[in-house]
């Protein structure tokens, strides 16, 4: 059974870059779409973007100028970078599989604060 | 962006009764070439990630109880829980994965009456 686990710093300073990694276990990352979604505390879900196993990407237009999603097949991981963060980027960040998001990580809270 | 609007925002239903949540998209999410609606439903309980219930608007994910069903096409969709159980208390989200950005509804909080 495929499992996903997010990892990365829980605290990021304003104007810096948020970097998270999702490790996929129990299956190969060399297929499917791999997505990032976030949820500000007490609020709804926001889709950030995906990377296909071939390397093609699609991003939320509202975040596109600041987002990069990449893939490391040798480590069975994919990553998220979000630059120039502000307090509005404080959220639980989830990684998930596929366009219909059929498998999710547990999420990791990232707080943007000085 | 395609805007997804759910109704109601919150809902209280008695145990064993039917619960119905609606989701309306600002544009169609039906791809005519394959006749598929790019619409999913999720259940999120406190402190947990969302869980996929329904995809392609009406296909139940493996392991999801058959009291959960999805219907609709084009721009109007419904999630129905035929007989509410205590463990169904959660927030439910619809999501389209058709447009340039894969947007979610604002969520519907389901409680026991």
């Amino acid at each position: 059974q495929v499992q996903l686990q997010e990892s990365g710093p829980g605290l990021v300073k304003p104007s810096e870059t948020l970097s998270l990694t999702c490790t996929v276990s129990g299956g190969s990352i060399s297929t499917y779409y791999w997505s990032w979604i976030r949820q500000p505390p007490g609020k709804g879900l926001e889709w950030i973007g995906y990377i296909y196993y071939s390397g093609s990407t699609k991003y939320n237009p509202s975040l596109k100028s600041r987002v990069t999603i990449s893939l490391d097949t040798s480590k069975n991981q994919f990553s998220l970078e979000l630059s120039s963060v502000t307090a509005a980027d404080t959220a639980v960040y989830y990684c998930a599989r596929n366009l219909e998001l059929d498998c999710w990580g547990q999420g990791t809270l990232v707080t943007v604060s000085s | 962006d395609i805007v997804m609007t759910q109704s109601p925002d919150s809902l209280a239903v008695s145990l064993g009764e039917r619960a119905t949540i609606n989701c309306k998209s600002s544009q169609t999410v039906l791809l005519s070439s394959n006749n598929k609606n790019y619409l999913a439903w999720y259940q999120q309980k406190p402190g947990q990630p969302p869980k996929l219930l329904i995809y392609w608007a009406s296909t139940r994910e493996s392991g999801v109880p058959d009291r959960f069903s999805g219907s609709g096409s084009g721009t109007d969709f419904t999630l129905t829980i035929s007989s509410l159980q205590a463990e169904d208390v959660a927030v439910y989200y619809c999501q389209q994965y058709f447009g340039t950005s894969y947007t979610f509804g604002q969520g519907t909080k389901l409680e026991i009456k």
Side-chain angles (χ1 to χ4, degrees), chain B residues 19-32:
Chain B
T20 300
I21 299 170
N22 300 301
C23 176
K24 187 174 184 66
S25 60
S26 61
Q27 303 171 39
T28 185
V29 298
L30 172 65
L31 186 60
S32 54

Side-chain angles (χ1 to χ4, degrees), chain B residues 29-76:
Chain B
V29 298
L30 172 65
L31 186 60
S32 54
S33 60
N34 61 9
N35 202 35
K36 285 185 181 291
N37 287 282
Y38 286 61
L39 190 284
W41 288 97
Y42 304 87
Q43 175 193 66
Q44 187 178 31
K45 297 180 179 179
Q48 296 184 19
K51 173 188 174 183
L52 177 66
L53 298 175
I54 304 285
Y55 58 98
W56 299 133
S58 60
T59 302
R60 196 180 304 113
E61 173 72 337
S62 175
V64 172
D66 61 7
R67 63 180 181 274
F68 291 91
S69 64
S71 62
S73 184
T75 61
D76 291 279

Side-chain angles (χ1 to χ4, degrees), chain A residues 37 39 43-47 50 58-61 94 99-102 104-107, chain B residues 1 40 42 44 47-50 52 55 61 93 95 97-102 104 106:
Chain A
I37 304 95
Q39 185 171 36
K43 296 188 178 181
L45 299 162
E46 181 179 30
W47 179 80
Y50 72 64
K58 183 168 182 170
Y59 301 134
N60 185 327
Y94 295 101
L99 303 184
E100 65 271 23
L101 309 173
D102 60 351
W104 295 63
Q106 284 300 306
Chain B
D1 280 5
Y42 304 87
Q44 187 178 31
Q48 296 184 19
L52 177 66
Y55 58 98
E61 173 72 337
Y93 294 94
Q95 182 220 8
Y97 46 103
F98 182 80
T100 55
S101 186
Y102 298 165
F104 292 87
Q106 79 276 18

Side-chain angles (χ1 to χ4, degrees), chain A residues 5-109:
Chain A
Q5 179 66 58
E6 305 86 353
S7 59
L11 181 64
V12 181
K13 290 182 168 55
S15 80
E16 295 189 344
T17 295
L18 178 160
S19 297
L20 296 174
T21 296
C22 182
T23 301
V24 179
S25 58
S28 174
I29 202 169
S30 297
T31 185
Y32 297 114
Y33 293 85
W34 302 96
S35 300
W36 287 97
I37 304 95
R38 69 182 182 178
Q39 185 171 36
K43 296 188 178 181
L45 299 162
E46 181 179 30
W47 179 80
I48 298 171
Y50 72 64
I51 186 164
Y52 193 41
Y53 76 95
S54 63
S56 64
T57 55
K58 183 168 182 170
Y59 301 134
N60 185 327
S62 70
L63 300 170
K64 188 175 183 178
S65 63
R66 299 194 291 132
V67 171
T68 302
I69 298 176
S70 58
L71 201 63
D72 187 338
T73 54
S74 68
K75 295 181 179 179
N76 231 35
Q77 295 176 335
F78 64 107
S79 298
L80 169 70
E81 289 193 340
L82 181 66
S83 64
S84 305
V85 297
T86 69
D89 295 310
T90 293
V92 175
Y93 285 77
Y94 295 101
C95 57
R97 186 182 70 174
N98 262 340
L99 303 184
E100 65 271 23
L101 309 173
D102 60 351
C103 185
W104 295 63
Q106 284 300 306
T108 187
L109 174 64

